[in-house]
Amino acid sequence: METPATLPAALRAAGRERPDHPAVVDGECTLTFADLHRRVVEAARAYAALGVRPGDRVCVWAPNTWKWVVAGLAASYAGATLVPVNSRYTAHEAAEVAARTRARLLVVADGFLGRSQVQDLLAVGLEPETTVVRIPLAGRAASARERVETSGGLVVDWADLPSYAARVTEREIEARADSVTPDDVADILFTSGTTGRSKGAMSAHRQTIGVAAAWAGIGGVDVDDRYLVVNPFFHSFGYKIGIVVGLLTGATLYPVAVFDAEATMRLVEQHRITLLPGAPTIYQSLLTAPGRGEHDLSSLRLAITGAAVVPVVLIEQMGGAGPDGLDIDDVYTAFGMTEAVVATMCRQGDDAELVARTCGRAIPGMDTRIAGPDSNAPLPPGTEGELLLRGDYVMLGYLDDEHATAQAVDADGWLRTGDVGRLDETGNLTITDRLKDMYICGGFNVYPAEVEQTLARMAEVADCAVVGVPDERMGEVGKAYVVRATGASLTADDVVAFARERLANFKVPRQVELVGGLPRNLSGKVLKTELRSNNG
């Protein structure tokens, strides 16, 4: 079957070809693909009645639920551009995204994590052209439409969308969907902003569809899969490699609003989940969960994880059998980023050593290269340098920021990732670290990821992160933040002694701080800027 070229076309095809197959199962709510198509069309008609025009932006600020799926796909069906907003953002941050994208609509889950998102937005104020669509969650009763005194905008309840939809015919909205082209901007996803102001990476429909199809093809995803989507929908891993993969393959999505290891294991057992992609922290939490042995997780056939660096020992444990493993049939690693979504993946048949120690090789439509700091010329296999990416799924550019776009993507289309790595003779990528995380100790370059990989081998270490901190004599030295495993009596001296046996002296952390947990963003990346800021 030919892959649809746009998101509206993909939704139509799914509704036509698999009308009675479950598309989304969210608690007591089950939507078939026909149900999903119908609800998206209705929401898109309401969007149009509320003033959304082709090319406008629609923000969705909510956790993973079936309503997010409908709200997000309705933006595309109405001819607009989807802007997912981090569900943990404050109202100030969400309002800033809406302002920067000049959003016509901001769909908000009111009551998530016990907060009052709509009231907070009213206090902050929105641009006059932005309408709020309020999804009341538990503890937040639906309210009548009301004027926003601070901005003159309108707040509309989710339950009121059908009455707005009645003002726009299905024929009108289907014409909107027909007018969407593969080169139209489908979505704007903002970077994590861990090193400064976040930037909005723009992707076309052909890119969002294409990268989801490539990932699904390599993973062998099909209509029989049951996909637990722990990755947040506001992130490309949850939206493109979750929602869009489901549309293209017929896999049934089970969205998870807030990750909890015990609840996740119950869902896997109850629904016989087959797919559980996620950030490394997801699997680390499952491996250390006290009740893991009480749940049958044998249905899991595929896990795909990725980050700048994934602990080798984690990959081994995910595929391992017995009390120390999750016994997942196929465990793949991959590499991606907001600006390119997925660039490399392991493949079926790759041996365990390759999967554990590399991120696989370029997916169809993408090229990889390792280059030095002053040139884009490729370095020989096995040589360390900055990873460059080029191909079909590299972003169109950053929203309203030509300078940042030019700095990131050169005239030949190569995206400088900021990650240090190497390629082997067959193109398999190994990520060494982030360029910005490297520090210099006594004249020697130290990549914290190498130290972290070593410390992760300690049975009493549940998690760790290493940063460079100022030192009068050495310039910088390593400081390790270590989370003890449950019940462990590990000391700082134990950590240093373990490192000294396995690493060159300049790589051994000079300082160790035992902590209860590491600061991470929702993509699972450790916020090393926060750790460094604690050391002056």
Side-chain angles (χ1 to χ4, degrees), residues 444-499:
F444 294 95
N445 291 352
V446 181
Y447 292 104
E450 181 186 3
V451 184
E452 292 161 359
Q453 293 276 14
T454 298
L455 299 185
R457 292 283 181 184
M458 295 189 74
E460 293 184 301
V461 170
D463 205 359
C464 64
V466 176
V467 298
V469 298
D471 182 81
E472 288 187 7
R473 187 173 70 88
M474 305 296 289
E476 289 179 292
V477 295
K479 179 174 181 177
Y481 290 84
V482 175
V483 180
R484 290 191 186 103
T486 303
S489 58
L490 188 72
T491 68
D493 288 342
D494 294 334
V495 174
V496 172
F498 186 88

Side-chain angles (χ1 to χ4, degrees), residues 221-454:
V221 182
D222 64 25
V223 72
D224 293 324
D225 276 311
R226 294 170 297 282
Y227 184 168
L228 194 66
V229 189
V230 176
N231 300 302
F233 287 153
F234 68 76
H235 189 276
S236 61
F237 208 170
Y239 164 50
K240 301 184 183 184
I241 308 304
I243 294 173
V244 182
V245 164
L247 282 185
L248 298 179
T249 65
T252 303
L253 305 185
Y254 293 75
V256 174
V258 178
F259 174 75
D260 174 83
E262 176 65 26
T264 295
M265 291 187 292
R266 286 199 303 269
L267 284 169
V268 171
E269 184 172 33
Q270 177 185 353
H271 296 284
R272 308 306 294 157
I273 298 297
T274 60
L275 303 184
L276 182 59
T281 51
I282 299 298
Y283 309 107
Q284 289 166 334
S285 298
L286 294 176
L287 283 162
T288 57
R292 180 163 58 90
E294 301 169 11
H295 296 281
D296 178 5
L297 309 182
S298 62
S299 61
L300 291 173
R301 74 161 187 87
L302 178 64
I304 299 180
T305 191
V309 180
V310 179
V312 171
V313 66
L314 175 63
I315 302 300
E316 295 169 351
Q317 292 172 332
M318 287 167 64
D324 296 326
L326 293 177
D327 199 18
I328 301 172
D329 294 344
D330 290 309
V331 177
Y332 297 163
T333 44
F335 177 85
M337 55 196 302
T338 305
E339 291 86 346
V341 188
V342 180
T344 70
M345 282 181 70
C346 290
R347 310 293 207 274
Q348 189 170 22
D350 288 345
D351 62 46
E353 179 74 9
L354 188 145
V355 172
R357 299 187 180 277
T358 80
C359 304
R361 48 213 171 275
I363 67 171
M366 291 294 288
D367 295 316
T368 55
R369 175 178 288 184
I370 299 296
D374 303 318
S375 169
N376 283 359
L379 296 175
T383 306
E384 222 165 58
E386 184 178 3
L387 172 65
L388 275 58
L389 303 174
R390 185 173 67 178
D392 296 342
Y393 313 127
V394 171
M395 65 173 181
L396 301 174
Y398 292 122
L399 175 69
D400 298 330
D401 200 334
E402 292 183 3
H403 177 70
T405 300
Q407 283 188 315
V409 185
D410 71 11
D412 294 323
W414 287 105
L415 168 69
R416 283 196 166 268
T417 66
D419 287 292
V420 180
R422 60 183 179 272
L423 295 169
D424 66 17
E425 295 284 354
T426 56
N428 290 297
L429 170 68
T430 298
I431 292 293
T432 307
D433 214 331
R434 292 287 293 169
L435 277 175
K436 63 181 177 59
D437 289 337
M438 186 199 78
Y439 63 90
I440 301 175
C441 179
F444 294 95
N445 291 352
V446 181
Y447 292 104
E450 181 186 3
V451 184
E452 292 161 359
Q453 293 276 14
T454 298

Side-chain angles (χ1 to χ4, degrees), residues 175-199:
R176 288 262 195 110
D178 285 339
S179 69
V180 175
T181 75
D183 290 320
D184 287 343
V185 178
D187 44 75
I188 304 171
L189 272 67
F190 281 82
T191 60
S192 58
T194 54
T195 58
R197 191 186 192 209
S198 60
K199 298 183 286 291

